[in-house]
Amino acid sequence: MPADNELTAKLTRRLDRNEALEQGQQVTNTYRTTGISIYSEFSEFSRKQIKEYEKAFKKYDAGGDGYLDLEELKVTMERLAAPQTHLSLKAMIKEVDEDQDGKLSFREFLLVFRKAAAGELPEDSGLCRLAALTDIDVGQVGVNGAANFFESKIEELTKTSKFEAEIREEQEMKKRELELKKLRRAEFKEKASLFSQQN
């Protein structure tokens, strides 16, 4: 029955949108109801980058309703040559779906890139692949923007996971403990030799 619920929700959204258009109302997709500018909220991205992400989002939003639903995300991942299972797609949406509506708004779409840049997404996750495979138009962003984009992608790919960092830290602690143990042993031997010389 979950598929029926998803279909019903999608058809209801489209019906509401079409009714609004028939009544001459402008259909707008507010990024956030609190009035915070998307540029202020995502200040880690330049305006040009946000425009590029918005362009990609609109390309992926086949229904034009301002949201990426499960089906649109499925098609997007297939077009990016990174197909996902139904459960993986649902997990991808759930990861950044702050309003729990089962679809991604543009703001939630930007959260994908924020989390990817911060290294908060597992490398094998669908969202990480989405972030890595979303193209940036060099003509729009310019050479400097593209350079920053590629530098951040390289940095993202070369970042080690938190798990690897913890292992490295444990190894360093063990190494320091070993060196301290050797130092104590040497001091003990020195004191022992002084004691044996006195006797």
Side-chain angles (χ1 to χ4, degrees), residues 93-105 108:
I93 290 173
K94 188 176 181 179
E95 175 82 22
V96 291
D97 187 15
E98 290 185 340
D99 57 5
Q100 309 283 318
D101 61 357
K103 55 192 175 186
L104 300 181
S105 65
E108 292 165 337

Side-chain angles (χ1 to χ4, degrees), residues 38-55:
I38 201 83
Y39 301 107
S40 298
E41 185 177 357
F42 292 91
S43 59
E44 66 266 36
F45 302 121
S46 70
R47 291 181 73 80
K48 288 181 181 181
Q49 285 175 309
I50 290 175
K51 292 286 187 191
E52 282 300 308
Y53 291 138
E54 185 175 27
K55 184 177 173 183

